[in-house]
Amino acid sequence: MPTTLVSGGTVVSSTGRHTADVLIDGEKIVAVLDPGSTVLGSDLKRTVDTVVDATGKYVFPGGIDAHTHMEMPFGGTVASDSFETGTRAAAWGGTTTIIDFSVQTVGQQLMDCLGNWHDKARGECAIDYAFHQIVGDVTPDTLAAMKKLPDEGVSSYKMFMAYPGVYYSTDDKIFKAMRIAADEGLMTMVHAENGPVIDAMVEELLAQGKSDPYYHGVARAWQMEEEATHRAIMLSDLTGAPLYIVHVSAKQAVEQLAAARDRGMNVFGETCPQYLYMSLEEQLGAPGFEGAKYVCSTPLRSHAEGHQHYMWQSLRTNDVQMVATDHCPFCMKGQKDMGVGDFSKIPNGIGSVEHRMDLMYQGVVDKKITLERFVEITSTTPARMFGMYGKKGVIAPGADADIVVYDPNGHTKIGINDTHHMRMDYSAWEGYEIDGHVDTVLSRGRVIIDGNQYLGSKGHGQFVRRGQSQYLQ
Ligand code: URP
Ligand code: ZN
Ligand code: ZN
């Protein structure tokens, strides 16, 4: 098996950092050694097949993006990244594993949907991938099939309190699914927004002629995120099912999570880069139809109300446990422009899979989080949360050799001159600059990004069978 030495870098974990050489045999890390160590008298730099010089650079465990939607049917169209293009873009940005969502809508058998998602991803991915299951039709068949998810390596599922008529489930359905989840050790993920009330708000606003993208944010008021988060927590409390709230953007929703955690509940929260960097006023309120680029749900929140600052603070204090992208890209032409004159017809979603690691690293530079916390929220916690830790999320003997060599002296200009690799005709992140750069990326021992060269290939990425959340064991 080919051997690789990542030499002389600062290896960073969620608990500390030290200068070390990382020895890789085939797909696995076999040793983390003092720099320049010899093995059985031989100089490793001379004997390994490949040396990656990481001197003066950070060595991170590969990024894990636990919330992506490749090829997802949504809003009358389909998310523009395929598994091939989306995972290649992820690789460019130092993400080496994604967890995507297999979709069930009304009338479909759950296991058929999972099979369908395997068919979409198999042989296409540049990096490893896993699945959560969206449960969109709670029937006796679905509830029975949910019990089989752990055997399929799928230990989490998502339900929606939003999007009536599409993925929406009523509270009784969520309750029934949570009963199964509590017994089977499944993690329940909830999109927590009060969909029916939001739809009534949309109707009101459109009737008043308020049709610009900005009103997407007005219709999806924080009160409806706080209320739904509280409701999901109460259902979790009643059933004993562990709960993970996706794409949290409102500070009041975080307060609900923090209060429940203080009571000892197994509830967790994820936020996304857009809720840390972007706002209702600045991006959704951009002139003309520009705001459509930033339409996603939950929506961007008001800067004046301080949600962004609060979200960074919550990442520091662990009231929010991790950062995923909710990567759900749509082009402006032919997709987002379906909503010209009616914001409710703009497909919801932002593409960020390529930029999460850089954007969160900038939080380190800006002294909003520590380097160790950066590793924790982008890799280690996602691995633990979703039952992959040990194989993923850590640089240690026995782990997959998913590694990012990151140059703190490098510089990244996002999306300038079409330099991003997501299948989109714009980037919501165009113009953002990062004081650092992804230098080299290894996926299961293979160098897939080398400087500004892509060396990966479709089909290299394998399906990762996940176990129970390691926060529940
Ligand atoms: O706007 C979003 N979040 N689009 C993707 C679907 C979802 O709710 O996660
Ligand atoms: Zn959602
Ligand atoms: Zn999503």
Side-chain angles (χ1 to χ4, degrees), residues 67 69 158 160 163 191 246-247 297-298 326:
H67 188 155
H69 300 285
K158 179 179 178 187
F160 290 81
Y163 311 139
H191 177 136
V246 293
H247 48 53
S297 296
T298 59
D326 192 10

Side-chain angles (χ1 to χ4, degrees), residues 309-336:
H309 174 78
Y310 194 85
M311 215 53 73
W312 279 112
Q313 177 180 304
S314 305
L315 279 174
R316 271 200 306 280
T317 57
N318 203 38
D319 286 336
V320 171
Q321 286 73 42
M322 51 183 269
V323 175
T325 56
D326 192 10
H327 177 76
C328 192
F330 297 103
C331 293
M332 281 295 267
K333 200 167 178 308
Q335 295 194 295
K336 292 275 187 186

Side-chain angles (χ1 to χ4, degrees), residues 341-357:
D342 178 351
F343 68 83
S344 72
K345 294 198 165 60
I346 301 169
N348 288 198
I350 290 187
S352 311
V353 76
E354 184 168 348
H355 304 310
R356 185 186 63 124
M357 296 293 277

